[in-house]
Amino acid sequence: MEAYAYAPGKIIICGEHFVVYGATALAAAINRGTTAIAETSPTTTIYSKNLEMQADLSTNKIPEKLKPLAAAISSTKEYLNEKRGVKLTIQSNIPPRSGLGSSSSSAVATVAATALALGHKLSLDEVIELAMSAERLVHRSPSGVDVQVSARGGLLLFKKGAKPQTLTLSKNVSFVVACTGIERKTSDLIERVKVWREENPSLFNSLVESSTVMSHCCADALCLSDLKRAGAILNFFHATLSWLGISIKEIDRIVEAALSSSAYGAKLTGAGGGGSVIILCSEDKVDNVVKEISSISSEAFATPLPNSGVKTWIQKS
Ligand code: MEV
């Protein structure tokens, strides 16, 4: 018997970085994600199809990139008081190094598939808490927004330490996602923002407050399908994040190209320093924007919202 779990990646629409310091962020699950397949086994092993890497958790030789998944499995087994082994295979269609939540979706899918293979059905809150143990290894002190979106799905207003608010769209909205293909480490970018904050504490704190106000405005605009107003807010966020020093010329080039065609708004999404850009344009222009942006991105695709969160199922072999 094989236990399957699928968990989506995410885009942060507004409020990244500020959310680490208590601002409310707006984020959504995307139409790409990670599938984990788990079955009971004499030993606990991980195989990542994308990385073409494997690990046996009974040895001390776990590759660095698989350590977060090893932590997710170990925390789950410990929580469930399980001694049995699990063979876990993982595969993702989230573009690598894209800032689209591949580590959090892998952690969420791993926890959910491991628990199901061992005969347990965890609540969403339990999956989130256990997946956070893996995220803490990757990002040191994450706000938790990535894991919350991957587990719950939909469009969320998130504030650290509070239960997220799920929003309902009056009409489906599509974002274009353009990846730079440039790798960056979230923890390094968080550190860069921390230094900026130490040098400008009052200004930074007022930006945290502005970020909350603007995330709520953007949420209202998206829910009412006022894409022009939502796009204007994205542009303001991009300029602010860029000013904090976390954009790069490849990101700015995509933002500029999107705005010079027909987009209402474009901004970096997630940690910055590479990763991806999100673009908001009218629904009838989405395919054209994807085409135009493809030539200056490593990958571009449209993601209609909303998308569901983590799903699990059993497949009898
Ligand atoms: C990373 O996807 C988003 C950041 O705000 C970090 C976090 O919230 O943990 C940069």
Side-chain angles (χ1 to χ4, degrees):
M1 181 203 81
E2 287 179 329
Y4 280 70
Y6 169 84
K10 63 92 202 354
I11 50 173
I12 298 193
I13 300 170
C14 306
E16 51 273 268
H17 288 289
F18 301 113
V19 69
V20 174
Y21 298 95
T24 299
L26 178 64
I30 59 171
N31 57 358
R32 303 278 181 111
T34 305
T35 304
I37 309 163
E39 57 188 319
T40 51
S41 149
T43 54
T44 295
T45 56
I46 304 173
Y47 174 59
S48 162
K49 286 193 176 173
N50 297 74
L51 298 172
E52 292 181 355
M53 258 181 208
Q54 51 195 11
D56 180 341
L57 270 61
S58 63
T59 70
N60 284 333
K61 289 190 204 123
I62 301 170
E64 210 51 45
K65 290 198 167 166
L66 295 184
K67 280 189 178 162
L69 297 186
I73 297 179
S74 302
S75 316
T76 307
K77 282 177 53 184
E78 202 178 306
Y79 180 74
L80 297 170
N81 204 12
E82 276 286 356
K83 300 279 175 284
R84 285 178 290 167
V86 169
K87 176 182 165 210
L88 183 102
T89 305
I90 194 143
Q91 184 165 30
S92 180
N93 64 0
I94 301 175
R97 303 176 294 278
S98 59
L100 298 174
S102 76
S103 66
S104 46
S105 81
S106 299
V108 169
T110 295
V111 168
T114 300
L116 190 61
L118 293 167
H120 304 263
K121 183 98 180 104
L122 295 173
S123 70
L124 215 45
D125 286 338
E126 288 172 314
V127 170
I128 290 166
E129 199 39 51
L130 292 165
M132 281 301 287
S133 66
E135 275 295 272
R136 283 188 199 103
L137 272 190
V138 187
H139 302 317
R140 284 204 288 270
S141 55
S143 65
V145 61
D146 295 12
V147 167
Q148 289 279 352
V149 174
S150 182
R152 295 182 193 278
L155 176 67
L156 297 183
L157 274 169
F158 170 87
K159 184 177 160 60
K160 200 171 165 178
K163 194 171 176 356
Q165 185 188 344
T166 298
L167 304 167
T168 308
L169 293 163
S170 57
K171 264 205 270 173
N172 287 5
V173 172
S174 294
F175 277 83
V176 173
V177 178
C179 310
T180 61
I182 295 170
E183 189 160 16
R184 82 286 173 270
K185 233 174 143 192
T186 298
S187 50
D188 293 346
L189 276 308
I190 291 180
E191 187 58 32
R192 197 179 297 177
V193 173
K194 185 169 163 245
V195 170
W196 198 97
R197 175 179 179 254
E198 278 159 9
E199 287 164 3
N200 308 274
S202 302
L203 179 53
F204 190 86
N205 286 343
S206 55
L207 288 177
V208 169
E209 280 175 33
S210 313
S211 180
T212 295
V213 172
M214 288 171 78
S215 291
H216 279 276
C217 285
C218 191
D220 286 346
L222 284 178
C223 289
L224 297 170
S225 296
D226 186 347
L227 303 188
K228 218 170 163 184
R229 183 154 61 104
I233 296 170
L234 298 196
N235 295 336
F236 221 82
F237 265 107
H238 182 70
T240 308
L241 292 167
S242 191
W243 186 52
L244 296 191
I246 62 159
S247 191
I248 55 169
K249 64 177 188 322
E250 289 82 356
I251 293 178
D252 290 341
R253 189 166 165 231
I254 295 173
V255 169
E256 187 59 31
L259 295 175
S260 74
S261 74
S262 47
Y264 294 131
K267 67 177 271 292
L268 69 82
T269 184
S276 303
V277 171
I278 52 166
I279 301 163
L280 191 57
C281 58
S282 64
E283 213 50 38
D284 58 324
K285 303 233 166 78
V286 165
D287 291 343
N288 263 348
V289 170
V290 170
K291 239 187 246 160
E292 277 177 34
I293 298 299
S294 290
S295 61
I296 52 168
S297 320
S298 63
E299 186 171 349
F301 63 95
T303 182
L305 307 186
N307 293 287
S308 57
V310 63
K311 288 187 274 204
T312 56
W313 67 99
I314 294 280
Q315 202 155 297
K316 295 207 169 76
S317 38

